[in-house]
């Protein structure tokens, strides 16, 4: 979402209610289906701030017309950006095919993910974004700039909370925090560990229901996808397992069979939360790194970029301290300002990354953009 905002403490620790009474007295939450049950969600520290859901009339009309082809209809939890414990997502059903999956967390207005999806039709792309005008702009871009993208889907939920739940059937244990307990029959533990990691010790529990897959219209393409999970990787970045899916090809994976589902994970220009007291809100943390390690296929990569130096150092430290992940460029491109000394650990600019407004702004303001690349080691 846009970072043209003030980073303060107001209202960031709880889910905000859908905004009412927009222009002409209309309900601004309208067809986004963001009305939720009356339950108060349990408190949690959030890595994003939801502000400014208002859209132009033209954008709103385009979104309303085409959103059903792109926006996933996920089972919701107690908060407007939270999924239910029973929510599941199988990319093979969502996209109507089996292909490598690239996930972007915080896709903003869709500049990056729509360009990549258009350039690589044999790859499936899933973007997470809670800023609804950004989601609408991504949909509009897919339709107006590229004539429609059958390999793109969007989710307007908190990826940190949703990823380990939606992909629980594909996650391999062995990570840390929430990721270490993501197995088929232990969703209670997923929610409990997630809550504890956010400083909550009493978690509302309920009887689990049968898993249901989120289904939206899939791709009409019947072409065989490329089997390489190393799409977009340089030779030294590619791992030993080339497939982006479970080689057993089962419809439901047990915890013993699960080998991840994401071929590439992207977190480009996540909110930097520059104030010291806000750094606990940063997305790239040991918790999220554990989720990444659990959901990446063997040899899959996690690509990151930021224009905030201390966040780049934090990203590097998180990657290098997470079991199951290795820094592909460990020791390279040392930074003289790095408080850890000439450790380095930064990647060359990812050629597949679009030069977005964030990066252009960073250049104007004299901030250096640093890329990182982590790889999931063999299990």
């Amino acid at each position: 979402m846009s970072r043209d905002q003030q980073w303060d403490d107001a209202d960031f620790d709880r889910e905000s209610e859908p905004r009412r009474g927009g222009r002409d007295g209309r309900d601004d939450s309208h067809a986004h289906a963001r009305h939720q049950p009356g339950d108060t969600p349990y408190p949690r520290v959030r890595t994003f701030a939801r502000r400014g859901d208002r859209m132009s009339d033209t954008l709103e009309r385009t979104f309303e017309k085409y959103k059903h082809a792109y926006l996933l209809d996920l089972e919701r939890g107690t908060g407007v950006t939270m999924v239910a414990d029973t929510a599941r997502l199988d990319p093979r059903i969502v996209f109507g095919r089996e292909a490598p999956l690239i996930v972007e967390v915080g896709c903003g207005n869709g500049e990056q993910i729509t360009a990549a999806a258009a350039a690589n039709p044999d790859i499936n792309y899933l973007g997470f974004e809670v800023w609804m005008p950004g989601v609408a702009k991504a949909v509009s871009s897919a339709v107006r700039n590229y004539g429609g993208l059958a390999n793109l889907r969007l989710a307007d939920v908190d990826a940190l909370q949703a990823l380990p739940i939606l992909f629980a059937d594909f996650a391999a244990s062995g990570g840390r925090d929430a990721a270490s307990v993501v197995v088929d029959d232990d969703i209670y533990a997923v929610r409990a560990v997630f809550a504890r990691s956010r400083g909550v010790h009493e978690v509302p529990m309920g009887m689990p229901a049968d898993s249901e897959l989120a289904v939206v219209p899939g791709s009409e393409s019947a072409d065989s996808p490329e089997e390489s999970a190393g799409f977009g990787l340089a030779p030294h970045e590619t791992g030993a397992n080339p497939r982006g899916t479970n080689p057993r090809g089962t419809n439901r994976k047990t915890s013993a069979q699960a080998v991840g589902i994401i071929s590439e994970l992207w977190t480009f220009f996540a909110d930097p939360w520059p104030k010291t007291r806000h750094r606990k809100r940063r997305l790239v943390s040991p918790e999220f790194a554990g989720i990444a390690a659990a959901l990446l296929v063997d040899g899959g990569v996690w690509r990151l970029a930021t224009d905030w130096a201390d966040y780049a150092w934090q990203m590097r430290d998180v990657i290098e301290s997470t079991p199951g992940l290795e820094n592909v460029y460990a020791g390279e491109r040392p930074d003289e300002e790095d408080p850890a000394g000439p450790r380095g650990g930064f990647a060359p600019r990812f050629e597949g990354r679009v030069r977005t407004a964030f990066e252009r702004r960073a250049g104007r303001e004299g901030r250096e953009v640093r890329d990182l690349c982590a790889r999931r080691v063999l299990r």
Side-chain angles (χ1 to χ4, degrees):
M1 65 176 295
S2 173
R3 297 182 304 176
D4 295 334
Q5 56 180 320
Q6 294 295 320
W7 287 277
D8 55 39
D9 288 323
D11 302 323
F12 287 172
D13 286 334
R14 301 185 66 82
E15 292 283 357
S16 58
E17 291 298 319
R19 189 160 46 83
R20 308 286 182 142
R23 56 190 180 279
D24 303 326
R26 289 180 291 175
D27 181 352
D28 280 355
S29 60
H30 46 81
H32 304 161
R34 301 177 75 82
H35 296 282
Q36 299 300 318
D39 300 328
T40 301
Y42 57 82
R44 60 197 182 101
V45 176
R46 294 194 297 162
T47 60
F48 58 88
R50 288 187 58 243
R51 292 182 175 177
D53 276 1
R54 181 166 295 180
M55 309 178 198
S56 69
D57 289 340
T58 300
L59 179 60
E60 186 173 313
R61 284 194 299 268
T62 302
F63 183 51
E64 289 302 310
K65 184 175 180 180
Y66 296 103
K67 68 178 181 180
H68 299 294
Y70 297 97
L71 187 61
L72 294 177
D73 183 14
L74 299 171
E75 182 184 1
R76 298 297 173 134
T78 55
V80 295
T81 60
M82 298 171 67
V83 298
D85 293 341
T86 52
R88 294 294 184 278
L89 190 151
D90 188 331
R92 296 165 299 186
I93 295 178
V94 167
F95 291 96
R97 64 179 185 176
E98 192 162 355
L101 176 67
I102 293 181
V103 173
E104 182 177 14
V105 175
C107 59
N109 60 15
E111 287 180 89
Q112 173 67 39
I113 200 167
T114 55
N120 303 283
D122 290 333
I123 307 297
N124 293 335
Y125 289 84
L126 173 61
F128 285 82
E129 179 56 60
V130 297
W131 181 47
M132 288 309 297
V135 175
K137 289 177 182 179
V139 170
S140 178
S141 175
V143 173
R144 296 179 180 276
N145 296 337
Y146 302 107
L149 296 171
N151 59 333
L152 173 66
R153 298 292 183 271
L154 302 167
D156 60 330
V157 294
D158 178 2
L160 180 61
Q161 183 262 347
L163 276 171
I165 295 176
L166 294 177
F167 291 140
D169 296 341
F170 301 94
S173 61
R176 58 172 61 176
D177 297 324
S180 66
V181 294
V182 179
V183 292
D184 287 83
D185 300 318
D186 202 4
I187 296 306
Y188 281 159
V190 173
R191 183 163 183 170
V193 172
F194 173 78
R196 285 199 300 273
S197 72
R198 299 316 233 175
V200 180
H201 301 284
E202 294 184 3
V203 184
M205 293 291 187
M207 293 299 293
D210 291 337
S211 301
E212 294 186 2
L213 300 172
V215 181
V216 298
S219 168
E220 297 179 359
S221 172
D223 296 337
S224 298
E226 295 178 0
E227 294 188 350
S228 172
F231 160 75
L233 305 184
H236 64 286
E237 293 178 348
T238 307
N241 181 4
R243 290 192 60 83
T245 57
N246 190 316
R248 292 176 176 82
T250 55
N251 289 329
R252 182 170 177 80
K253 299 171 175 61
T254 65
S255 58
Q257 296 172 327
V259 291
I261 185 61
I262 299 174
S263 296
E264 288 195 18
L265 178 65
W266 294 346
T267 51
F268 298 143
F269 301 97
D271 281 347
W273 296 105
K275 294 182 180 179
T276 301
R277 70 177 183 271
H278 291 159
R279 289 179 184 175
K280 64 182 179 181
R281 304 183 187 281
R282 287 177 169 176
L283 173 67
V284 181
S285 63
E287 178 188 358
F288 187 69
I291 294 170
L295 296 181
L296 283 168
V297 301
D298 287 359
V301 298
W302 179 16
R303 300 190 185 278
L304 310 92
T306 181
D307 55 328
W308 290 82
D310 65 326
Y311 200 3
W313 303 328
Q314 175 180 324
M315 291 175 175
R316 184 264 321 273
D317 294 344
V318 166
I319 289 170
E320 295 184 355
S321 63
T322 300
L325 295 180
E326 65 178 357
N327 188 345
V328 176
Y329 296 92
E332 298 188 26
R333 296 171 184 80
D335 185 345
E336 293 181 357
E337 300 179 2
D338 192 337
R343 271 182 57 190
F346 301 102
R349 188 184 190 281
F350 172 42
E351 293 182 356
R353 181 163 60 77
V354 172
R355 195 173 297 276
T356 63
F358 286 147
E359 186 167 4
R360 295 192 296 270
R361 177 179 173 181
R364 292 194 301 270
E365 297 179 357
R367 291 192 303 276
E368 178 184 355
V369 174
R370 294 171 174 83
D371 282 65
L372 298 98
C373 181
R375 177 171 55 211
R376 170 68 225 195
V377 302
L378 298 180
R379 292 175 171 86

